[in-house]
Amino acid sequence: MFRIGQGYDVHKLVEDRELWICGIKLPHTHGLLGHSDADVAIHALCDALLGALALRDIGYHFPDTDPKYKGADSKLLLKEVCRMIRERGWEIGNVDVTIMAEAPKFKPHIDEMRQCLADVMNVAVDAVSVKATTTEKLGFTGRKEGIASTAVALIYEP
Ligand SMILES: [Zn+2]
């Protein structure tokens, strides 16, 4: 038995914020604005995993009106989502994350991002794909106003 889910998230780029993506802090002039650490890729991934079991979305489980999640490390949210999946008797097969951003350069950080997500989800690193693309300077991502991310997750019943 298999199920799949997909997720999408966007955060605005602003000055004077740290840039956290896929659980690691990236050197950049701007960071993402949000109630938590605004890790856009982890949020998309959480929504993909929740979506696979039709468990609503990240905002439903971790509301941004709750002071508990102010500045929250999104890795903890991902860990909790994985716990919810396994509690229901499912295991994570593989995940595939795409980040859409004009800057910074992600290439040097991809392996560290994959390893970080694999560690948080407690899966093998070859089950975790992270890709980054520009949008050819088009749209809000192209104008560096924000960063978007999509994710797909496949889960299975062992
Ligand atoms: Zn988000």
Side-chain angles (χ1 to χ4, degrees):
M1 187 68 184
F2 296 94
R3 295 186 62 139
I4 63 165
Q6 60 99 27
Y8 176 70
D9 194 33
V10 172
H11 282 269
K12 186 178 175 180
L13 276 168
V14 294
E15 288 177 344
D16 300 321
R17 282 273 297 187
E18 293 177 343
L19 181 63
W20 287 86
I21 300 193
C22 290
I24 69 165
K25 191 175 144 186
L26 297 168
H28 194 40
T29 53
H30 290 63
L32 292 172
L33 186 64
H35 185 67
S36 65
D37 63 9
D39 190 322
V40 66
I42 287 190
H43 294 179
L45 181 53
C46 285
D47 272 356
L49 289 163
L50 290 168
L53 284 182
L55 294 172
R56 307 285 296 261
D57 57 46
I58 192 173
Y60 177 81
H61 296 283
F62 314 108
D64 64 8
T65 49
D66 189 334
K68 193 163 84 179
Y69 301 117
K70 187 166 165 52
D73 180 345
S74 293
K75 291 191 282 292
L76 300 177
L77 309 186
L78 178 57
K79 205 176 258 294
E80 173 61 14
V81 167
C82 291
R83 193 196 60 75
M84 290 166 66
I85 299 281
R86 292 187 172 111
E87 177 185 71
R88 287 164 175 78
W90 293 79
E91 190 47 62
I92 295 153
N94 69 299
V95 302
D96 188 7
V97 176
T98 300
I99 302 153
M100 283 147 276
E102 205 59 41
K105 290 270 175 261
F106 289 90
K107 204 173 174 181
H109 308 290
I110 294 287
D111 284 337
E112 190 186 350
M113 290 170 152
R114 293 176 61 213
Q115 189 65 57
C116 178
L117 294 180
D119 289 346
V120 173
M121 292 190 292
N122 198 22
V123 299
V125 72
D126 69 0
V128 181
S129 163
V130 174
K131 311 193 294 299
T133 182
T134 71
T135 54
E136 301 287 340
K137 297 192 166 60
L138 295 169
F140 70 87
T141 52
R143 292 188 299 269
K144 302 182 185 176
E145 293 166 5
I147 293 179
S149 180
T150 63
V152 176
L154 183 139
I155 62 172
Y156 65 96
E157 236 173 353

